[in-house]
Amino acid sequence: MAVRVRIEDVAEVAGVSMKTVSRVLNREPNVREDTRLRVMKAVDELKYTPHLSARSLAGSKSYLIALLYNNPSASYLMGVIEGVLEACEAENYHMMLCPLEDEDERIVAATEDLIARSRPDGLLLTPPITDSPALLQRLAELEIPFASVSPKVQSEVIGVAMDETRAAFDIVTHLASLGHRRIGHIVGHPAHGASGWRLNGYKQGLERAGIKFDPALVVQGEFSFDSGVLAATALLDLKQRPSAVFAANDDMAAGVIRVALERNLRVPGDLSVCGFDDTPMSSQIFPALTTVHQPTDEMGRIATMELLAAIRTPHSGQMVRVPYTLRLRRSTGPLQA
Amino acid sequence: MAVRVRIEDVAEVAGVSMKTVSRVLNREPNVREDTRLRVMKAVDELKYTPHLSARSLAGSKSYLIALLYNNPSASYLMGVIEGVLEACEAENYHMMLCPLEDEDERIVAATEDLIARSRPDGLLLTPPITDSPALLQRLAELEIPFASVSPKVQSEVIGVAMDETRAAFDIVTHLASLGHRRIGHIVGHPAHGASGWRLNGYKQGLERAGIKFDPALVVQGEFSFDSGVLAATALLDLKQRPSAVFAANDDMAAGVIRVALERNLRVPGDLSVCGFDDTPMSSQIFPALTTVHQPTDEMGRIATMELLAAIRTPHSGQMVRVPYTLRLRRSTGPLQA
DNA sequence: CTGTTAGCGCATTCAG
DNA sequence: CTGAATGCGCTAACAG
């Protein structure tokens, strides 16, 4: 640690004033190229790193963004976090994690508290918090910048999203191409935008394949393994049971496989199963799950970049689309007679 | 946001000096109880929250701890993180996440960089970083407080750990009590202390059950699903194949189940399988996995509390033991003739 | 037990 | 294009 080098030291070595160093570091205009280089050189030599608290105090910015979440999927979150950290590092920002409750009121209260205590420069919302009406309204009042990952309503909001409807459409099309006609769907948690998109994609896939939509084949779940087990039980108890099930996420798909195997049905021989998300579990389960890969780290990275843009210059930033990837694995196969 | 309330405002309302307010807020001694209460009242009324950057700058403390990790298990990390955040909130500390590479040198370099840039007051090490000799040495030189989660060497270090040897012993004893005599073991990644503990527990369990240790039944893995698949293949290719396999973690156990089911072996009918960690996947896979539950959140919480203690008063803090729990599920059953 | 003075390291005025 | 003064909000070191 030895002696801390301060901006003053850099200024002296470079033969300029503190302010000029500050300008260079903050990429402000009005610095001649050669003095800029001289300053940079001094910074390198001294291995100078600005003191975050001092910048923060003087500039009344916190260089902090808060990642709000109440999504229980560890792999999803860690993916997003990885991307957020990458983007933060590039801009010398810090990220703080804010696990929230489920109820709308508590979300708002916790967020207000958070803002008061930690004064983040911006917020990153992840589903389903992205769609909390109370929070969205409060954030608008507070005029604090935020970006959303996969929000339900994507107009007037910046962040990142994937064409989940299209992905679900592709999944169903895949099943239909294998000969399946009775394709069940387990809907996700009603609070998540993803549930609606994936259901719509399911319907569109059926339509494209010329399969009539049958409400009996659609069961409500809530994204959890247990809800998948319940839903699968209902579907497999049907007199005319489906030959394929598209669950709105991997956890529920795992529930379907569980029920199928417990009934001595073969997967995919007797029942094809698809999920969504490509969690690590999906490739470890037997049989490995056909699913949709979300580039969670990329999404975290992009959402953060848009947020930082909006922090830098108000009202900038946009809603970015990222591509998905189908992961066709062993849990889906041709319809058996 | 309106006007920010500062310590000065609180002082005025309470009719004391800034410094007295500061004392109350920092739980320093030498404040009369009634003035303390008066100050607290003013704080509440004004909803005062100290400005972190200002405290940090003035006190030359960052109120920041860094969580270092390179462990790929999302569920493990999120568990630990949950506990860390809880403990941090209580003390008004912040946590920053620091994903690190695997190589020893890069770990040291990244950590030095981190310390220079963010100046955390302390570090939290998670396995296997806990056992990087180069890092440990460097930290001692830097004299920065740190606490470890499940370090290999637990003397002279503060943090938290579980009796993993005993847990592995219990698992093997469980298998033996079901009649199994040929019990295989898949060892974890060599860099992790856990691998050694679990292997020792395996040996002790065999000994207690009066089963002779057979090196042919022990295969090296590296904690990944794929390594579990390879190891399981080796074990099941044995002329005298085991009737039970204890894998050193759940991911590898999932690999064992995969191989077994692909060979049309029934689990647990033909092969009992155990894991370790109780990841969410372990209860979603078919059959649900018998495993050992680690209270990861509790471990994160405790490690943080010890770290904060050490930050507050140097050389305080201790190594705390936490209890494990066996999760007996469907993947283990009686030996079949 | 309490108050006063100074300054943490930087960005932000406003002058040159 | 560059520099000198001022203060962000708080705690440390000293007085009282």
Side-chain angles (χ1 to χ4, degrees):
Chain A
M1 287 269 62
V3 207
R4 327 178 118 67
V5 7
R6 295 159 308 164
I7 199 170
E8 199 181 330
D9 306 318
V10 177
E12 193 176 357
V13 169
V16 296
S17 75
M18 278 169 55
K19 180 57 201 170
T20 301
V21 178
S22 172
R23 273 197 261 269
V24 172
L25 261 36
N26 296 305
R27 294 178 203 143
E28 285 174 33
N30 296 338
V31 181
R32 253 197 351 238
E33 184 59 16
D34 61 322
T35 72
R36 204 182 68 80
L37 289 175
R38 206 143 36 90
V39 170
M40 296 288 268
K41 186 153 157 286
V43 167
D44 277 354
E45 276 172 13
L46 299 176
K47 287 185 185 155
Y48 169 71
T49 24
H51 193 295
L52 212 109
S53 300
R55 299 181 95 177
S56 167
L57 184 58
S60 61
K61 279 183 282 182
S62 63
Y63 297 94
L64 220 204
I65 64 176
L67 176 63
L68 312 195
Y69 65 94
N70 60 359
N71 188 312
S73 169
S75 56
Y76 180 82
L77 286 172
M78 286 306 298
V80 171
I81 286 172
E82 186 185 332
V84 173
L85 291 177
E86 249 176 59
C88 280
E89 184 158 6
E91 305 261 9
N92 246 295
Y93 257 77
H94 278 199
M95 177 202 67
M96 74 178 292
L97 250 29
C98 306
L100 260 37
E101 314 273 330
D102 280 335
E103 311 93 82
D104 239 41
E105 298 166 18
R106 311 246 337 176
I107 290 179
V108 174
T111 304
E112 286 173 335
D113 193 57
L114 159 81
I115 293 174
R117 293 165 90 91
S118 304
R119 298 171 169 78
D121 292 339
L123 306 179
L124 229 36
L125 310 190
T126 55
I129 288 177
T130 42
D131 307 307
S132 160
L135 181 63
L136 258 24
Q137 188 190 330
R138 193 80 189 91
L139 292 183
E141 290 166 13
L142 293 173
E143 295 188 342
I144 182 170
F146 69 93
S148 297
V149 176
S150 299
K152 198 182 287 189
V153 177
Q154 296 173 7
S155 54
E156 322 244 331
V157 168
I158 68 171
V160 66
M162 221 181 70
D163 192 343
E164 304 199 16
T165 302
R166 180 77 193 214
F169 171 90
D170 285 356
I171 282 282
V172 172
T173 300
H174 163 67
L175 290 172
S177 76
L178 290 169
H180 295 282
R181 307 293 293 175
R182 294 190 60 76
I183 301 173
H185 180 54
I186 305 179
V187 185
H189 193 290
H192 289 243
S195 304
W197 296 326
R198 296 171 193 181
L199 175 59
N200 283 339
Y202 163 77
K203 288 179 180 170
Q204 292 174 19
L206 291 184
E207 187 174 348
R208 166 65 65 91
I211 302 171
K212 185 156 174 295
F213 173 75
D214 179 354
L217 290 178
V218 174
V219 182
Q220 182 69 49
E222 48 185 29
F223 278 146
S224 67
F225 175 79
D226 288 343
S227 75
V229 167
L230 286 178
T233 303
L235 284 172
L236 296 182
D237 277 345
L238 249 36
K239 253 178 257 168
Q240 291 229 39
R241 64 171 170 74
S243 67
V245 172
F246 165 40
N249 77 349
D250 291 342
D251 286 356
M252 296 195 299
V256 176
I257 289 181
R258 155 75 58 86
V259 173
L261 294 185
E262 277 181 346
R263 294 182 177 210
N264 287 311
L265 294 176
R266 289 161 310 149
V267 178
D270 301 311
L271 186 73
S272 282
V273 180
C274 302
F276 204 112
D277 285 346
D278 193 27
T279 62
M281 178 271 291
S282 70
S283 56
Q284 301 185 355
I285 201 171
F286 180 85
L289 208 51
T290 287
T291 187
V292 176
H293 178 74
Q294 295 205 55
T296 47
D297 53 345
E298 189 65 6
M299 293 171 79
R301 205 175 58 74
I302 293 175
T304 304
M305 288 176 54
E306 297 307 316
L307 176 58
L308 293 180
I311 289 173
R312 187 149 305 162
T313 45
H315 307 296
S316 66
Q318 45 185 321
M319 177 57 69
V320 178
R321 286 260 159 175
V322 291
Y324 56 87
T325 321
L326 250 51
R327 295 266 195 262
L328 302 182
R329 292 197 277 240
R330 313 297 288 272
S331 67
T332 49
L335 176 67
Q336 310 268 329
Chain B
M1 286 273 59
V3 207
R4 327 178 117 67
V5 4
R6 295 160 308 163
I7 199 171
E8 199 181 329
D9 306 319
V10 178
E12 193 176 358
V13 169
V16 296
S17 75
M18 277 170 56
K19 180 59 201 171
T20 301
V21 178
S22 172
R23 273 198 260 270
V24 171
L25 261 38
N26 295 305
R27 294 178 204 142
E28 286 173 33
N30 296 338
V31 180
R32 249 195 358 235
E33 184 59 17
D34 62 319
T35 72
R36 205 182 68 80
L37 289 175
R38 206 143 34 90
V39 170
M40 297 287 270
K41 187 154 157 283
V43 167
D44 277 354
E45 275 173 12
L46 298 175
K47 287 186 185 154
Y48 169 71
T49 24
H51 192 295
L52 212 109
S53 300
R55 297 182 96 175
S56 167
L57 184 58
S60 60
K61 280 183 282 181
S62 63
Y63 297 93
L64 220 203
I65 65 177
L67 177 63
L68 311 194
Y69 64 95
N70 60 0
N71 189 311
S73 169
S75 56
Y76 179 82
L77 285 172
M78 287 306 298
V80 171
I81 287 171
E82 185 185 333
V84 173
L85 291 177
E86 250 176 57
C88 280
E89 184 158 6
E91 306 261 9
N92 246 296
Y93 257 76
H94 278 199
M95 177 203 66
M96 75 177 290
L97 249 30
C98 306
L100 261 36
E101 315 273 331
D102 280 336
E103 312 94 80
D104 239 40
E105 298 166 18
R106 312 245 337 174
I107 289 178
V108 173
T111 305
E112 286 173 335
D113 193 57
L114 159 82
I115 292 175
R117 293 165 91 89
S118 303
R119 299 173 170 76
D121 292 338
L123 306 179
L124 230 35
L125 310 189
T126 55
I129 289 176
T130 43
D131 307 307
S132 159
L135 181 62
L136 257 24
Q137 188 190 329
R138 193 80 189 92
L139 292 184
E141 290 166 14
L142 293 173
E143 295 187 342
I144 183 170
F146 68 94
S148 298
V149 176
S150 300
K152 198 182 285 188
V153 178
Q154 295 174 7
S155 53
E156 323 244 332
V157 168
I158 67 171
V160 67
M162 221 181 71
D163 192 343
E164 304 199 17
T165 302
R166 180 77 194 213
F169 172 91
D170 285 356
I171 282 282
V172 173
T173 300
H174 164 67
L175 290 171
S177 77
L178 290 169
H180 296 282
R181 308 292 295 175
R182 292 191 61 76
I183 302 173
H185 179 54
I186 305 178
V187 185
H189 193 289
H192 288 243
S195 304
W197 297 326
R198 296 172 194 181
L199 174 59
N200 283 340
Y202 164 75
K203 289 179 180 170
Q204 291 174 18
L206 292 184
E207 188 174 347
R208 166 64 65 90
I211 302 171
K212 185 154 173 297
F213 173 75
D214 179 355
L217 290 178
V218 175
V219 182
Q220 182 68 50
E222 48 186 28
F223 277 147
S224 68
F225 175 78
D226 289 343
S227 74
V229 167
L230 285 177
T233 303
L235 284 172
L236 295 182
D237 277 346
L238 250 34
K239 254 178 255 167
Q240 290 229 40
R241 64 171 170 75
S243 66
V245 173
F246 165 40
N249 78 347
D250 290 342
D251 286 356
M252 296 196 299
V256 177
I257 289 180
R258 156 74 58 86
V259 173
L261 295 185
E262 278 181 345
R263 294 180 176 212
N264 286 312
L265 295 176
R266 288 160 309 148
V267 177
D270 301 312
L271 186 73
S272 282
V273 180
C274 303
F276 204 111
D277 286 346
D278 193 28
T279 62
M281 178 270 291
S282 69
S283 55
Q284 301 185 355
I285 201 171
F286 179 84
L289 208 52
T290 288
T291 188
V292 176
H293 178 74
Q294 294 206 57
T296 47
D297 53 345
E298 188 66 4
M299 293 171 78
R301 206 176 56 75
I302 292 175
T304 305
M305 288 176 54
E306 297 306 317
L307 175 59
L308 294 180
I311 289 172
R312 189 150 303 162
T313 46
H315 306 296
S316 66
Q318 46 183 323
M319 177 56 69
V320 179
R321 286 261 158 173
V322 290
Y324 57 86
T325 321
L326 251 49
R327 295 266 195 263
L328 302 182
R329 292 196 276 240
R330 313 296 290 270
S331 68
T332 48
L335 176 67
Q336 310 267 331

